[in-house]
Amino acid sequence: MTEETKIDQAAAETDTRIAPSMPTTLPEGEVERITTDLIGALKTVYDPEIPVDIYELGLIYRVDLDDERNLTIDMTLTAPGCPVAGEMPGWVENAARGVEGIQDVTVNMVFDPPWDASRMSEEAQVALNWW
């Protein structure tokens, strides 16, 4: 296990921003692994105008994992008029599809509640000097 994987795993264990609904047929350990891997995958997607990944920005609102290993992700943008609004859901879908064991991914763009800076992690705030 690499140091980065250990950090991502520790983050997944203490972070409640992504808490997939618990499928009834998947072992808890498998759900935890998928959650950890999904967080790592989402952290590879960046808003091109902001040097922070979408996970730390708080753009992921909800993740559901069903018994067939299908993910449904609700996400938002920092602003509805974001120039990559049409592309970013595809980036998120592609990243999530890279998680081992995932069968299908649906990404929904939502704007309720509207995103605001309070959704950012401390890591994002530090990166953007928003202290």
Side-chain angles (χ1 to χ4, degrees):
M1 182 180 297
T2 67
E3 190 61 32
E4 184 176 321
T5 303
K6 288 179 189 174
I7 291 169
D8 286 344
Q9 184 173 9
E13 290 170 1
T14 60
D15 197 333
T16 59
R17 285 178 288 168
I18 291 187
S21 58
M22 184 62 137
T24 57
T25 62
L26 295 178
E28 185 175 338
E30 180 68 0
V31 173
E32 289 174 10
R33 183 202 54 82
I34 288 171
T35 301
T36 299
D37 292 352
L38 179 60
I39 289 170
L42 292 173
K43 289 177 79 122
T44 68
V45 180
Y46 285 77
D47 181 322
E49 296 179 332
I50 304 172
V52 177
D53 66 79
I54 63 165
Y55 179 78
E56 297 299 336
L57 280 173
L59 298 182
I60 303 300
Y61 280 6
R62 186 178 64 95
V63 175
D64 285 330
L65 175 65
D66 70 18
D67 290 337
E68 286 78 38
R69 298 174 182 257
N70 299 313
L71 283 175
T72 302
I73 301 171
D74 288 353
M75 68 167 294
T76 195
L77 302 169
T78 55
C82 177
V84 294
E87 298 170 54
M88 195 172 293
W91 300 342
V92 171
E93 179 181 339
N94 289 337
R97 284 185 186 280
V99 173
E100 181 183 337
I102 295 303
Q103 297 302 308
D104 198 16
V105 178
T106 301
V107 178
N108 300 313
M109 187 65 65
V110 298
F111 295 101
D112 187 29
W115 179 88
D116 64 56
S118 69
R119 296 192 59 89
M120 290 192 302
S121 69
E122 285 184 20
E123 179 180 317
Q125 292 173 13
V126 168
L128 296 172
N129 293 319
W130 283 28
W131 279 96

